[in-house]
Amino acid sequence: MSDTDETPAATVATLSALRETLGDDAVRVGEQIGERSMTDYTRHDPARPAALLLPRTTEQVSRALAICDAARQPVVPQGGMTGLAGGAIARATEIALSLDRLAGIEEIDPAAATMTVCAGTTLQSAQEAAQEAGFELALDLGARGSCQIGGTLATNAGGNRVIQSGTARDQVLGLEVVLANGTVLSSMNKMVKNNTGYDLKQLFIGSEGTLGVITRAVLRLHPRRAARHTALVALDSYDAAVRLLRMLTGRFGNDIGAFEIMWPDFFDFGVSLTANGRSPFSTAQPLYALVEHAGFDAGDSGERFASVLGDALDTQAIRDAIVAQTVADARALWAIRETTAEFPSQMDPINFDISVPIGDIGHFVDACRTALDQRWPGNRSYFFGHVGDSNLHVTVDGRSVPGVPHHDVYAFVYGMLAPYRGSISAEHGIGLLKREFMPISRSPEELAAMRSIKRALDPNGILNPGKVI
Ligand SMILES: Cc1cc2nc3c(=O)[nH]c(=O)nc-3n(C[C@H](O)[C@H](O)[C@H](O)COP(=O)(O)OP(=O)(O)OC[C@H]3O[C@@H](n4cnc5c(N)ncnc54)[C@H](O)[C@@H]3O)c2cc1C
């Protein structure tokens, strides 16, 4: 494959320098670049980048970035490409830098309870390694098999266990990052307490590849929560769900590992996509909560959890509950919630990942649904979320609003957030898709401070231009 066919001369020179430094097999162009590198899970505007770099070491990432920075060549870091904000999409004039080959667990330190891991390691491999060592990595999301540690930290991903252990940010003790000019900033700290000046790592976590390329991380490990019990609960209303959340956290503290709410639109659609296509309840319910109790005592049979739900049933705090008796039962209940992975093949999803204060989510959902129905009668919209973390997901099926540009739907729903002081991105990030809506959730002063940080760390603006800020 020749670089010269359609590639600008400046890029040809840069590619030749990159080949010399990284080796031919680490620089792909044209048809050598597969579809996976052309867009992320949003399937937004696929484009073949000018080149795909596949460095194997931090040193190679550093040298590649130094070359690109000197040439003012834009670079887009790419992880598992499961992002939901378009952050990893590279345009035809940009070079994609994949972390695929910088993978592996370097160390598990049982005394410090830490894992040192390379950025290209999939979340699932890291979870499995932690388990084998008798620990738990308190990060989990549906994309676990493909998303990478680097991408997961770069987006400060949330997921199913935030209510218990916080977001990706809360799992990081140390980070190694390569800046736009190739400088390696290695803060591979293993200590819980370390107040030596600014906590630089926090700048890069959630920066979506705009401030530096994450190459390695030291992650906290937690004791294994050996007893997991899952229940699907039917509720009268959103207020009843909040009361149940507070009652359960009051009784079990942060042994409540997940509290996922599904409104009937989502639940019915999710059920229709599961293997048996049948709801675990015999009748339709106003609202569903998927609750997980995750305790440390392997001998805990879940009796106390079931009995607390039994009491809630007796006092009519809940309408019904199905407590999983086996791991297979629990998986079947979680399968309903995780059918979101099928959305792209089942519809034309217009996804929202927003935050609204917990007490206002029920009101927001009612107002949003009514407004959507008035604006686009017949729209199909699905509401669900990690309500314990104030995170609501809304998916509008683009096929149910034919001819309406996705942008109009985004603007309409984001526009409803201002009175709630909500956030346009709870956990998926800003990427390409939400950039223009930043002023809804961030003040001019906050935006100006973000731009100053970007200029300070990437003065030539080569890292992921056009994303976030
Ligand atoms: C089925 C499914 C379920 C999901 N569930 C959740 C969920 O519950 N919670 C949640 O928060 N997200 C969720 N996501 C979104 C997504 O999985 C996460 O954002 C994910 O962790 C991104 O990781 P990735 O490696 O795929 O990153 P990519 O998609 O490759 O990249 C994401 C962003 O990070 C940047 N980036 C990637 N690697 C690096 C690096 N090494 N250094 C610097 N920047 C980098 C990219 O430039 C881009 O801006 C889900 C996605 C899917 C498909």
Side-chain angles (χ1 to χ4, degrees):
M1 171 69 47
S2 153
D3 295 341
T4 48
D5 300 345
E6 296 166 16
T7 321
T11 315
V12 172
T14 307
L15 289 181
S16 136
L18 287 166
R19 281 213 174 84
E20 217 166 282
T21 308
L22 304 183
D24 279 349
D25 77 315
V27 183
R28 294 191 183 155
V29 293
E31 310 228 319
Q32 296 167 329
I33 301 173
E35 281 191 11
R36 177 171 173 269
S37 312
M38 296 189 201
T39 186
D40 64 4
Y41 217 75
T42 61
R43 307 289 179 259
H44 183 78
D45 272 359
R48 176 170 280 134
L52 171 68
L53 308 183
L54 290 154
R56 286 198 157 82
T57 62
T58 301
E59 173 63 20
Q60 287 191 343
V61 173
S62 159
R63 287 159 73 184
L65 285 180
I67 291 169
C68 292
D69 194 44
R72 308 291 189 264
Q73 167 62 54
V75 176
V76 179
Q78 293 191 336
M81 305 302 280
T82 67
L84 297 173
I89 301 173
R91 300 175 190 85
T93 51
E94 297 173 337
I95 287 184
L97 189 154
S98 163
L99 279 297
D100 280 3
R101 288 181 178 170
L102 216 168
I105 314 287
E106 288 189 352
E107 186 203 27
I108 290 183
D109 179 340
T114 59
M115 166 188 282
T116 303
V117 61
C118 296
T121 313
T122 63
L123 174 59
Q124 188 167 336
S125 315
Q127 288 174 333
E128 286 167 4
Q131 284 215 355
E132 271 165 36
F135 288 99
E136 192 164 278
L137 186 59
L139 252 183
D140 189 38
L141 25 132
R144 61 185 79 77
S146 308
C147 68
Q148 301 179 353
I149 294 297
T152 302
L153 300 185
T155 52
N156 185 27
N160 303 328
R161 306 225 173 115
V162 174
I163 189 176
Q164 191 165 57
S165 314
T167 61
R169 184 184 300 287
D170 300 298
Q171 315 311 321
V172 184
L173 287 177
L175 203 68
E176 181 181 83
V177 177
V178 183
L179 301 184
N181 66 3
T183 303
V184 179
L185 211 59
S186 194
S187 313
M188 296 295 278
N189 166 70
K190 279 188 183 177
M191 298 167 292
V192 174
K193 290 187 175 175
N194 185 349
N195 282 349
T196 343
Y198 301 145
D199 190 355
L200 293 174
K201 67 177 182 293
Q202 298 298 353
L203 273 180
F204 301 96
I205 301 168
S207 72
E208 301 178 57
T210 60
L211 299 181
V213 176
I214 297 170
T215 45
R216 292 192 302 154
V218 180
L219 303 178
R220 277 169 187 263
L221 296 178
H222 297 261
R224 269 186 84 173
R225 290 186 178 265
R228 289 193 182 272
H229 309 107
T230 305
L232 183 66
V233 180
L235 294 147
D236 272 324
S237 65
Y238 180 76
D239 289 346
V242 176
R243 285 194 294 273
L244 176 67
L245 170 66
R246 293 300 160 225
M247 190 266 276
L248 288 172
T249 50
R251 297 291 286 272
F252 295 105
N254 84 341
D255 281 357
I256 293 303
F259 194 84
E260 302 288 308
I261 295 285
M262 297 173 274
W263 275 262
D265 38 49
F266 174 87
F267 184 83
D268 296 343
F269 186 60
V271 162
S272 75
L273 299 179
T274 57
N276 72 10
R278 282 198 305 274
S279 168
F281 293 112
S282 51
T283 54
Q285 304 290 335
L287 194 68
Y288 304 84
L290 185 63
V291 185
E292 187 180 77
H293 169 263
F296 296 109
D297 179 3
D300 177 354
S301 63
E303 244 170 73
R304 203 170 137 243
F305 178 58
S307 132
V308 167
L309 288 176
D311 291 347
L313 195 56
D314 291 344
T315 57
Q316 296 180 346
I318 63 176
R319 291 166 66 101
D320 205 349
I322 292 166
V323 181
Q325 301 301 316
T326 62
V327 172
D329 286 352
R331 281 209 187 107
L333 297 180
W334 270 104
I336 301 170
R337 173 63 181 80
E338 294 196 338
T339 50
T340 46
E342 317 272 332
F343 276 16
S345 62
Q346 298 295 326
M347 61 166 99
D348 171 22
I350 307 173
N351 289 316
F352 295 90
D353 154 51
I354 55 187
S355 276
V356 176
I358 291 179
D360 295 334
I361 288 181
H363 184 265
F364 177 85
V365 169
D366 292 343
C368 186
R369 185 182 286 113
T370 304
L372 281 167
D373 288 347
Q374 280 169 356
R375 180 82 172 77
W376 293 294
N379 76 86
R380 284 190 299 277
S381 303
Y382 308 94
F383 293 79
F384 56 105
H386 315 285
V387 157
D389 328 323
S390 57
N391 181 187
L392 178 70
H393 293 304
V394 185
T395 299
V396 179
D397 184 353
R399 293 179 317 189
S400 68
V401 288
V404 177
H406 286 203
H407 180 272
D408 290 8
V409 184
Y410 285 126
F412 186 74
V413 173
Y414 289 140
M416 295 190 64
L417 281 171
Y420 295 86
R421 303 176 76 91
S423 160
I424 59 164
S425 172
E427 58 177 3
H428 296 161
I430 299 299
L432 196 61
L433 300 184
K434 297 178 214 165
R435 190 172 176 231
E436 68 173 288
F437 302 108
M438 284 278 270
I440 292 176
S441 300
R442 292 293 194 184
S443 68
E445 294 77 14
E446 287 174 303
L447 293 172
M450 288 185 204
R451 285 192 195 102
S452 302
I453 293 169
K454 169 75 176 166
R455 274 195 301 275
L457 293 176
D458 178 16
N460 297 322
I462 65 148
L463 272 179
N464 224 354
K467 315 283 170 55
V468 184
I469 188 75

